[in-house]
């Protein structure tokens, strides 16, 4: 099981000091946080993608390449790559190049994003969000799996005899997670291709997460990729820790109350009771995180949001020390002891290369139709309703 952190790259005023970091400070802080994540023994660092203030998370490949040059072990990922508004050819080229630069320490999470105006900024119609996600990924999948692509779809110009360069490292594309909070069609898409499904797991109650993951698992098995238990699942989550819970709640409360996303709404206590947000001691974080398995089963990746809502860099680095020293070692041991036989490990470049070398039949992953470049959208949409 992989443990790591993700950032959305928000530039938020610290409510306790009134200080707002500059874009430069926030960008540099992101690099420091990623390097600290590797230092404390985490497996994954992921960055989101936003194209509007108050965020600095545009150009994620630039950020990840810079981090990759200064790290040796940690897997670099996105959270998420906007498959709806970014051209699939550009995604194929940029992330294959990055895959080479970091020697395979790369995967990506595809999503639709949560900022409506981004669609017209990139010439797209938000009313076609799901259809864009389905068609664009079908093309991306084909660009990485075929050396010469002939393709025609609804939302971009056709391709004739096109080869995306560079080709994926070792002939194996980066592993893809499909990220969604609320869209069953995306869980269906992940299942159709046999890819991973990442549920953000921050704003919704456990019952919703359970329904989304169970849908993905059922459909993964339906498409012949393995048993439901062999489906590849990732979860997000947010935590804030101090040695004792009273200090954690007292310190985090002003950040929660003024957070751009969930501030000025339910109380911190209500939000913790209704969602997976955990503010307390390291042991409370351990216990809460282990409880996720009760409703999603054995899963492969757990990412935590640590730097949101204006928390100063010093505090975030202290949080990472607690996460790496007191929380993750226990979670590794406990999750491993609970894991059922036959549950796969989280995919890595090495494991994907080994599987490809073993004569893996790529058709099990639902290759797109060569004539249209699209997978069976009707099947995906219908399955999401089952």
């Amino acid at each position: 099981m992989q443990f790591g952190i993700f950032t959305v790259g928000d530039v938020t005023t610290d409510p306790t000091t009134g200080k707002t970091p500059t874009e430069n400070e926030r960008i540099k802080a992101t690099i420091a946080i990623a390097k600290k994540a590797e230092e404390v023994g985490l497996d994954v660092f992921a960055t989101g993608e936003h194209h509007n203030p108050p965020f600095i998370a545009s150009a994620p490949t630039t950020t990840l390449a810079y981090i990759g040059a200064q790290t040796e072990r940690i897997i670099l990922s996105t959270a998420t790559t906007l498959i709806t508004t970014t051209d699939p050819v550009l995604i194929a080229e940029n992330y294959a190049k990055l895959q080479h630069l970091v020697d395979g320490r790369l995967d990506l999470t595809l999503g639709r994003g949560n900022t409506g105006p981004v669609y017209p900024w990139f010439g797209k119609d938000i009313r076609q969000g799901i259809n864009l996600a389905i068609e664009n990924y079908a093309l991306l999948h084909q660009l990485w799996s075929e050396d010469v692509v002939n393709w025609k779809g609804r939302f971009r110009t056709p391709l004739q005899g096109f080869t995306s360069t560079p080709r994926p490292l070792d002939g194996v594309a980066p592993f893809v997670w499909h990220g969604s909070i609320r869209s069953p069609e995306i869980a269906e898409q992940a299942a159709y291709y046999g890819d991973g499904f990442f549920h953000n797991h921050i704003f919704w109650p456990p019952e919703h997460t359970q329904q989304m993951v169970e849908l993905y698992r059922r459909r993964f098995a339906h498409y012949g990729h393995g048993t439901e238990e062999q489906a590849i699942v990732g979860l997000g989550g947010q935590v804030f820790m101090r040695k004792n819970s009273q200090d954690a709640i007292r310190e985090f409360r002003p950040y929660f109350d003024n957070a751009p996303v969930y501030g000025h709404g339910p109380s911190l206590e209500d939000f913790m009771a209704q969602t997976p947000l955990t503010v307390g001691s390291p042991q409370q974080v351990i216990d809460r995180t282990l409880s996720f398995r009760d409703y999603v089963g054995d899963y492969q990746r757990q990412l935590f949001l640590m730097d949101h809502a204006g928390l100063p860099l010093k505090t975030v680095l202290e949080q990472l020390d607690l996460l790496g020293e007191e929380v993750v070692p226990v979670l590794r041991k406990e999750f491993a002891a609970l894991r059922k036989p036959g549950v796969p490990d989280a995919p890595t470049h090495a494991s994907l290369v080994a599987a490809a070398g073993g004569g893996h039949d790529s058709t099990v992953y639902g290759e797109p139709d060569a004539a249209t470049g699209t997978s069976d959208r009707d099947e995906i949409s219908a399955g999401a309703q089952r």
Side-chain angles (χ1 to χ4, degrees), residues 58 214 236 301 308:
S58 60
E214 286 182 350
R301 174 174 286 186
H308 179 55

Side-chain angles (χ1 to χ4, degrees), residues 191-194 217-228 230 360-361 363-366:
Y192 179 79
Y193 286 97
R217 289 188 185 279
R218 289 196 307 270
R219 302 303 290 169
F220 180 94
H222 166 79
Y223 288 119
H225 304 305
T227 66
E228 293 185 17
Q230 291 173 319
H360 173 72
D361 180 3
T363 59
V364 76
Y365 287 93

Side-chain angles (χ1 to χ4, degrees), residues 128-361:
Q128 297 292 337
I130 291 291
N131 290 328
L132 282 163
I134 292 170
E135 180 175 295
N136 284 354
Y137 181 59
L139 175 54
L140 175 61
H141 189 276
Q142 190 173 355
L143 289 166
W144 273 342
S145 61
E146 299 180 14
D147 290 338
V148 180
V149 171
N150 296 296
W151 182 90
K152 184 178 180 180
R154 296 171 58 196
F155 298 110
R156 75 176 316 281
T157 53
L159 297 173
Q160 294 181 353
F162 179 77
T163 298
S164 175
T165 59
R167 303 304 298 146
L169 178 65
D170 300 319
V172 174
F175 185 76
V176 169
W177 305 78
H178 298 259
S180 180
I181 297 176
R182 63 189 181 277
S183 302
E185 294 91 344
I186 302 304
E188 179 76 14
Q189 183 183 39
Y192 179 79
Y193 286 97
D195 295 335
F197 178 63
F198 188 88
H199 194 273
N200 198 307
H201 201 222
I202 289 181
F203 304 115
W204 292 66
E207 294 80 9
H208 174 75
T209 301
Q210 181 178 11
Q211 290 175 351
M212 291 287 284
V213 172
E214 286 182 350
L215 168 64
Y216 161 68
R217 289 188 185 279
R218 289 196 307 270
R219 302 303 290 169
F220 180 94
H222 166 79
Y223 288 119
H225 304 305
T227 66
E228 293 185 17
E229 291 75 19
Q230 291 173 319
I232 306 298
V233 174
L235 296 181
Q238 183 172 8
V239 300
F240 185 86
M241 296 174 285
R242 287 304 185 198
K243 291 292 186 179
N244 65 72
S245 59
Q246 294 87 350
D247 288 343
I249 290 173
R250 181 175 61 252
E251 184 175 347
F252 188 68
R253 188 182 300 280
Y255 295 97
F256 174 87
D257 288 345
N258 293 281
V261 175
Y262 43 53
H264 311 289
S267 69
L268 174 59
E269 287 77 10
D270 286 344
F271 204 85
M272 285 195 294
Q274 297 169 17
T275 77
L277 172 66
T278 308
V279 181
S281 67
Q283 187 59 52
Q284 287 174 307
V285 171
I286 291 168
D287 293 341
R288 188 72 177 279
T289 305
L290 288 172
S291 75
F292 299 165
R293 183 181 177 275
D294 296 339
Y295 53 89
V296 302
D298 291 307
Y299 62 110
Q300 283 72 25
R301 174 174 286 186
Q302 174 66 56
L303 301 185
F304 297 103
L305 178 62
M306 308 292 290
D307 67 335
H308 179 55
L311 289 168
L313 177 60
K314 178 178 180 293
T315 300
V316 176
L317 298 181
E318 291 168 351
Q319 294 291 300
L320 290 174
D321 278 328
L322 288 170
L323 189 66
E325 294 170 6
E326 299 191 29
V327 174
V328 166
V330 178
L331 290 177
R332 288 192 199 282
K333 180 180 178 181
E334 293 296 326
F335 273 118
L338 293 167
R339 188 167 68 169
K340 296 178 181 178
V343 173
D345 292 335
T348 63
H349 182 70
S351 70
L352 295 173
V353 170
H360 173 72
D361 180 3

